[in-house]
mmCIF file of all heavy atoms in Angstrom:
data_model
loop_
_atom_site.group_PDB
_atom_site.id
_atom_site.type_symbol
_atom_site.label_atom_id
_atom_site.label_comp_id
_atom_site.label_asym_id
_atom_site.label_seq_id
_atom_site.Cartn_x
_atom_site.Cartn_y
_atom_site.Cartn_z
ATOM 1 N N GLU A 35 88.585 126.323 125.805
ATOM 2 C CA GLU A 35 88.797 126.711 127.209
ATOM 3 C C GLU A 35 89.668 125.663 128.037
ATOM 4 O O GLU A 35 90.055 125.938 129.119
ATOM 5 C CB GLU A 35 87.397 126.820 127.899
ATOM 6 C CG GLU A 35 86.593 125.526 127.857
ATOM 7 C CD GLU A 35 85.566 125.621 126.666
ATOM 8 O OE1 GLU A 35 85.960 126.216 125.651
ATOM 9 O OE2 GLU A 35 84.499 125.018 126.718
ATOM 10 N N ALA A 76 108.271 120.362 120.893
ATOM 11 C CA ALA A 76 107.462 120.049 119.789
ATOM 12 C C ALA A 76 108.276 119.495 118.616
ATOM 13 O O ALA A 76 107.963 118.487 117.946
ATOM 14 C CB ALA A 76 106.697 121.269 119.275
ATOM 15 N N SER A 105 111.648 122.257 109.049
ATOM 16 C CA SER A 105 113.041 122.703 108.925
ATOM 17 C C SER A 105 113.894 122.066 109.960
ATOM 18 O O SER A 105 115.120 121.845 109.733
ATOM 19 C CB SER A 105 113.112 124.204 108.989
ATOM 20 O OG SER A 105 112.353 124.841 108.001
ATOM 21 N N LEU A 107 113.816 119.079 111.076
ATOM 22 C CA LEU A 107 114.198 117.669 110.791
ATOM 23 C C LEU A 107 115.489 117.620 110.007
ATOM 24 O O LEU A 107 115.835 118.532 109.244
ATOM 25 C CB LEU A 107 113.021 117.067 109.905
ATOM 26 C CG LEU A 107 111.629 116.866 110.515
ATOM 27 C CD1 LEU A 107 110.682 116.362 109.501
ATOM 28 C CD2 LEU A 107 111.763 115.926 111.695
ATOM 29 N N ARG A 112 113.377 114.639 106.479
ATOM 30 C CA ARG A 112 112.393 115.406 105.670
ATOM 31 C C ARG A 112 111.948 114.676 104.424
ATOM 32 O O ARG A 112 110.784 114.640 104.043
ATOM 33 C CB ARG A 112 113.056 116.724 105.308
ATOM 34 C CG ARG A 112 113.095 117.760 106.386
ATOM 35 C CD ARG A 112 113.325 119.159 105.772
ATOM 36 N NE ARG A 112 114.657 119.262 105.179
ATOM 37 C CZ ARG A 112 115.753 119.672 105.778
ATOM 38 N NH1 ARG A 112 115.705 120.066 107.007
ATOM 39 N NH2 ARG A 112 116.830 119.889 105.156
ATOM 40 N N PRO A 120 101.141 113.942 99.632
ATOM 41 C CA PRO A 120 100.747 114.242 98.271
ATOM 42 C C PRO A 120 101.792 115.223 97.620
ATOM 43 O O PRO A 120 102.258 116.160 98.363
ATOM 44 C CB PRO A 120 99.364 114.914 98.401
ATOM 45 C CG PRO A 120 98.873 114.451 99.673
ATOM 46 C CD PRO A 120 100.059 114.295 100.618
ATOM 47 N N GLU A 125 105.585 119.795 97.684
ATOM 48 C CA GLU A 125 106.359 120.854 97.008
ATOM 49 C C GLU A 125 106.116 122.207 97.744
ATOM 50 O O GLU A 125 107.031 123.018 97.816
ATOM 51 C CB GLU A 125 105.756 120.983 95.574
ATOM 52 C CG GLU A 125 106.460 121.983 94.709
ATOM 53 C CD GLU A 125 107.939 121.735 94.517
ATOM 54 O OE1 GLU A 125 108.352 120.578 94.456
ATOM 55 O OE2 GLU A 125 108.777 122.718 94.502
ATOM 56 N N ARG A 136 117.066 123.532 101.290
ATOM 57 C CA ARG A 136 116.375 123.056 100.099
ATOM 58 C C ARG A 136 117.426 122.275 99.206
ATOM 59 O O ARG A 136 117.087 121.245 98.658
ATOM 60 C CB ARG A 136 115.759 124.179 99.358
ATOM 61 C CG ARG A 136 115.184 123.877 98.002
ATOM 62 C CD ARG A 136 113.958 123.031 98.158
ATOM 63 N NE ARG A 136 113.446 122.563 96.826
ATOM 64 C CZ ARG A 136 112.420 123.111 96.197
ATOM 65 N NH1 ARG A 136 111.817 124.172 96.736
ATOM 66 N NH2 ARG A 136 112.017 122.641 95.085
ATOM 67 N N ALA A 160 134.030 115.560 108.128
ATOM 68 C CA ALA A 160 135.087 115.114 107.262
ATOM 69 C C ALA A 160 136.372 115.987 107.530
ATOM 70 O O ALA A 160 136.244 117.238 107.598
ATOM 71 C CB ALA A 160 134.676 115.250 105.768
ATOM 72 N N GLY A 162 140.960 116.329 106.877
ATOM 73 C CA GLY A 162 142.045 115.864 106.096
ATOM 74 C C GLY A 162 143.018 115.068 106.871
ATOM 75 O O GLY A 162 143.162 115.228 108.071
ATOM 76 N N ALA A 176 132.919 123.000 117.322
ATOM 77 C CA ALA A 176 132.298 124.127 116.737
ATOM 78 C C ALA A 176 131.031 123.791 115.831
ATOM 79 O O ALA A 176 130.169 124.641 115.684
ATOM 80 C CB ALA A 176 133.290 124.930 115.920
ATOM 81 N N ARG A 203 136.855 108.291 119.986
ATOM 82 C CA ARG A 203 137.697 107.633 121.010
ATOM 83 C C ARG A 203 139.153 107.675 120.608
ATOM 84 O O ARG A 203 140.055 107.964 121.471
ATOM 85 C CB ARG A 203 137.223 106.175 121.273
ATOM 86 C CG ARG A 203 138.010 105.496 122.335
ATOM 87 C CD ARG A 203 137.627 104.006 122.291
ATOM 88 N NE ARG A 203 136.241 103.817 122.650
ATOM 89 C CZ ARG A 203 135.796 103.679 124.012
ATOM 90 N NH1 ARG A 203 136.649 103.782 124.974
ATOM 91 N NH2 ARG A 203 134.512 103.487 124.171
ATOM 92 N N GLU A 229 121.468 98.997 98.095
ATOM 93 C CA GLU A 229 120.122 98.800 98.576
ATOM 94 C C GLU A 229 120.148 99.054 100.111
ATOM 95 O O GLU A 229 120.923 98.554 100.803
ATOM 96 C CB GLU A 229 119.736 97.323 98.329
ATOM 97 C CG GLU A 229 118.258 97.074 98.276
ATOM 98 C CD GLU A 229 117.750 96.765 99.672
ATOM 99 O OE1 GLU A 229 118.403 96.122 100.424
ATOM 100 O OE2 GLU A 229 116.594 97.224 100.059
ATOM 101 N N SER A 240 127.501 94.823 112.239
ATOM 102 C CA SER A 240 128.898 95.122 112.258
ATOM 103 C C SER A 240 129.389 95.615 113.609
ATOM 104 O O SER A 240 130.581 95.560 114.013
ATOM 105 C CB SER A 240 129.313 96.154 111.215
ATOM 106 O OG SER A 240 128.809 97.449 111.589
ATOM 107 N N PHE A 260 123.635 104.487 112.567
ATOM 108 C CA PHE A 260 123.074 103.277 113.292
ATOM 109 C C PHE A 260 121.566 103.496 113.511
ATOM 110 O O PHE A 260 120.762 102.531 113.211
ATOM 111 C CB PHE A 260 123.747 103.047 114.602
ATOM 112 C CG PHE A 260 123.295 101.783 115.278
ATOM 113 C CD1 PHE A 260 123.991 100.596 115.080
ATOM 114 C CD2 PHE A 260 122.271 101.789 116.205
ATOM 115 C CE1 PHE A 260 123.658 99.454 115.747
ATOM 116 C CE2 PHE A 260 121.901 100.576 116.871
ATOM 117 C CZ PHE A 260 122.621 99.422 116.590
ATOM 118 N N ARG A 277 102.770 91.362 105.526
ATOM 119 C CA ARG A 277 102.455 90.698 104.220
ATOM 120 C C ARG A 277 102.343 89.190 104.396
ATOM 121 O O ARG A 277 101.581 88.548 103.721
ATOM 122 C CB ARG A 277 103.554 91.034 103.187
ATOM 123 C CG ARG A 277 103.406 92.489 102.701
ATOM 124 C CD ARG A 277 104.526 92.843 101.731
ATOM 125 N NE ARG A 277 104.244 94.180 101.161
ATOM 126 C CZ ARG A 277 105.052 94.808 100.352
ATOM 127 N NH1 ARG A 277 106.219 94.246 99.992
ATOM 128 N NH2 ARG A 277 104.744 95.997 99.856
ATOM 129 N N GLY A 323 82.652 63.774 91.878
ATOM 130 C CA GLY A 323 82.167 62.405 91.750
ATOM 131 C C GLY A 323 82.801 61.527 92.797
ATOM 132 O O GLY A 323 82.161 60.658 93.367
ATOM 133 N N LEU A 325 84.025 62.373 95.728
ATOM 134 C CA LEU A 325 83.484 62.700 97.040
ATOM 135 C C LEU A 325 82.074 62.152 97.158
ATOM 136 O O LEU A 325 81.685 61.643 98.259
ATOM 137 C CB LEU A 325 83.386 64.229 97.188
ATOM 138 C CG LEU A 325 84.624 64.900 97.611
ATOM 139 C CD1 LEU A 325 84.451 66.462 97.543
ATOM 140 C CD2 LEU A 325 85.157 64.469 98.954
ATOM 141 N N LEU A 333 85.629 64.566 105.176
ATOM 142 C CA LEU A 333 85.956 64.851 106.554
ATOM 143 C C LEU A 333 87.384 65.258 106.769
ATOM 144 O O LEU A 333 87.755 66.014 107.754
ATOM 145 C CB LEU A 333 85.623 63.630 107.415
ATOM 146 C CG LEU A 333 84.202 63.183 107.412
ATOM 147 C CD1 LEU A 333 84.054 61.929 108.293
ATOM 148 C CD2 LEU A 333 83.234 64.279 107.930
ATOM 149 N N LEU A 337 91.870 68.974 107.471
ATOM 150 C CA LEU A 337 93.078 68.514 108.107
ATOM 151 C C LEU A 337 94.180 68.641 107.083
ATOM 152 O O LEU A 337 95.318 69.116 107.380
ATOM 153 C CB LEU A 337 92.925 67.050 108.614
ATOM 154 C CG LEU A 337 94.205 66.307 108.907
ATOM 155 C CD1 LEU A 337 94.929 66.942 110.169
ATOM 156 C CD2 LEU A 337 93.936 64.843 109.129
ATOM 157 N N THR A 345 102.798 73.782 106.822
ATOM 158 C CA THR A 345 104.090 73.314 106.481
ATOM 159 C C THR A 345 104.826 74.248 105.490
ATOM 160 O O THR A 345 105.992 74.545 105.692
ATOM 161 C CB THR A 345 104.038 71.872 105.874
ATOM 162 O OG1 THR A 345 103.372 70.983 106.791
ATOM 163 C CG2 THR A 345 105.478 71.326 105.607
ATOM 164 N N ALA A 356 116.231 83.698 106.477
ATOM 165 C CA ALA A 356 117.612 83.329 106.086
ATOM 166 C C ALA A 356 118.111 84.292 104.936
ATOM 167 O O ALA A 356 119.246 84.678 104.933
ATOM 168 C CB ALA A 356 117.730 81.934 105.656
ATOM 169 N N VAL A 362 121.435 82.503 103.151
ATOM 170 C CA VAL A 362 121.328 81.844 101.883
ATOM 171 C C VAL A 362 121.249 82.954 100.819
ATOM 172 O O VAL A 362 120.876 84.114 101.111
ATOM 173 C CB VAL A 362 120.033 80.941 101.840
ATOM 174 C CG1 VAL A 362 120.079 79.878 102.828
ATOM 175 C CG2 VAL A 362 118.786 81.757 102.001
ATOM 176 N N GLY A 386 102.228 61.198 108.942
ATOM 177 C CA GLY A 386 101.557 60.122 108.139
ATOM 178 C C GLY A 386 101.307 58.860 108.998
ATOM 179 O O GLY A 386 100.294 58.249 108.916
ATOM 180 N N ALA A 417 106.716 71.785 101.940
ATOM 181 C CA ALA A 417 107.978 72.340 102.473
ATOM 182 C C ALA A 417 108.935 72.704 101.276
ATOM 183 O O ALA A 417 109.584 73.675 101.339
ATOM 184 C CB ALA A 417 108.629 71.265 103.391
ATOM 185 N N ILE A 442 101.344 80.835 99.181
ATOM 186 C CA ILE A 442 101.713 79.422 99.392
ATOM 187 C C ILE A 442 100.576 78.595 99.960
ATOM 188 O O ILE A 442 100.362 77.388 99.623
ATOM 189 C CB ILE A 442 102.945 79.403 100.308
ATOM 190 C CG1 ILE A 442 104.239 79.861 99.519
ATOM 191 C CG2 ILE A 442 103.204 77.964 100.833
ATOM 192 C CD1 ILE A 442 105.445 80.010 100.416
ATOM 193 N N GLY A 450 97.481 70.054 97.268
ATOM 194 C CA GLY A 450 97.288 68.945 98.211
ATOM 195 C C GLY A 450 95.986 68.220 98.004
ATOM 196 O O GLY A 450 95.925 67.047 98.158
#
Side-chain angles (χ1 to χ4, degrees):
E35 57 266 30
S105 301
L107 294 174
R112 283 199 295 267
E125 185 60 35
R136 175 66 186 262
R203 182 188 297 271
E229 202 271 324
S240 71
F260 187 89
R277 287 178 173 175
L325 280 174
L333 300 176
L337 167 67
T345 304
V362 299
I442 288 173

